[in-house]
Amino acid sequence: MSALVAERPVLETSMPGPCPVIETDRLVLRPHRMQDAEAIANSLSDFAVARMLTRVPVPYDREDGRDWLNMVTSGLKPDWHFAITLDGVHVGVVSLELRHGLWHIGYWLNRFYWGRGLMSEAVEAALDRFFQRMGGAEIFGGAFADNPASLRLLEARGFRTVGVSDVFSKARNAMAPLVEFRLAQPDFAARRRLV
């Protein structure tokens, strides 16, 4: 064997490990269970929620929820898909997914829990834990241009706008402008020091 081959560094792709359980002041973020299908279907069958997501079909039912849960609970992907729970009730999701070699954040909250700061609390906690494990990672995200609450949430976490593109929304059955964002750990940390 050539000494050059033996000395070649092995590049390993770092992964965050299993989805942890995170407790915040009001919430518990935990890995999903198959029993969450009903709560997921109840939330995503609401067009007000589904229309702000790119990949959620309308109508959305319990079987759609079970199909998604089969994928996210399989352990075959490095993704983190947190069930956001409030007093033991599944009220939403925050996910960090590896897609096409890039980390992406996605989230949604049952409409009856909007306006309480719960999603900000959940996203903050998920990003904090993710960056503890994956400090050098960049995270990409997006929000439809007609979703000011989500745009504010990303900007408040330190995400920087990188562009706008038209994407297809299954729920809307139409193209819609999506504001695209990027977050690096130093931007997240710097923003936290200013608060």
Side-chain angles (χ1 to χ4, degrees):
M1 177 188 308
S2 166
L4 291 176
V5 173
E7 294 176 21
R8 184 179 302 151
V10 177
L11 299 176
E12 292 185 24
T13 303
S14 179
M15 293 297 161
C19 184
V21 174
I22 302 171
E23 294 185 25
T24 70
D25 290 340
R26 298 179 290 174
L27 305 170
V28 174
L29 280 61
R30 60 161 173 81
H32 277 88
R33 307 173 186 141
M34 290 305 292
Q35 303 92 296
D36 296 326
E38 180 106 13
I40 291 169
N42 286 340
S43 295
L44 294 181
S45 64
D46 183 343
F47 185 71
V49 176
R51 72 181 295 274
M52 294 303 176
L53 305 171
T54 57
R55 299 181 287 170
V56 174
V58 170
Y60 192 95
D61 61 29
R62 186 184 170 110
E63 287 307 308
D64 293 313
R66 291 180 59 79
D67 290 344
W68 183 77
L69 286 167
N70 278 326
M71 178 193 65
V72 303
T73 61
S74 70
L76 298 175
K77 294 182 164 196
D79 308 338
W80 285 1
H81 296 280
F82 291 102
I84 302 170
T85 64
L86 176 65
D87 298 326
V89 177
H90 186 291
V91 298
V93 170
V94 61
S95 296
L96 290 148
E97 296 179 273
L98 188 61
R99 292 187 306 199
H100 310 292
L102 302 172
W103 287 101
H104 292 262
I105 190 165
Y107 48 85
W108 57 262
L109 191 66
N110 181 297
R111 181 166 48 113
F112 297 103
Y113 296 90
W114 290 0
R116 300 184 195 178
L118 297 175
M119 187 54 75
S120 293
E121 188 174 323
V123 168
E124 182 80 17
L127 288 171
D128 185 55
R129 181 65 64 86
F130 186 81
F131 280 132
Q132 287 177 25
R133 294 202 187 166
M134 303 284 291
E138 288 187 331
I139 301 171
F140 294 84
F144 284 119
D146 62 351
N147 187 349
S150 192
L151 295 169
R152 284 191 305 272
L153 183 148
L154 291 171
E155 290 168 349
R157 308 281 89 64
F159 279 84
R160 296 175 187 248
T161 304
V162 294
V164 177
S165 61
D166 284 333
V167 298
F168 185 75
S169 165
K170 283 186 177 183
R172 299 173 190 218
N173 195 31
M175 300 296 284
L178 184 83
V179 182
E180 299 168 338
F181 293 89
R182 180 187 65 80
L183 177 67
Q185 193 278 336
D187 294 329
F188 181 69
R191 187 260 333 152
R192 293 183 85 193
R193 283 192 296 271
L194 296 174
V195 177

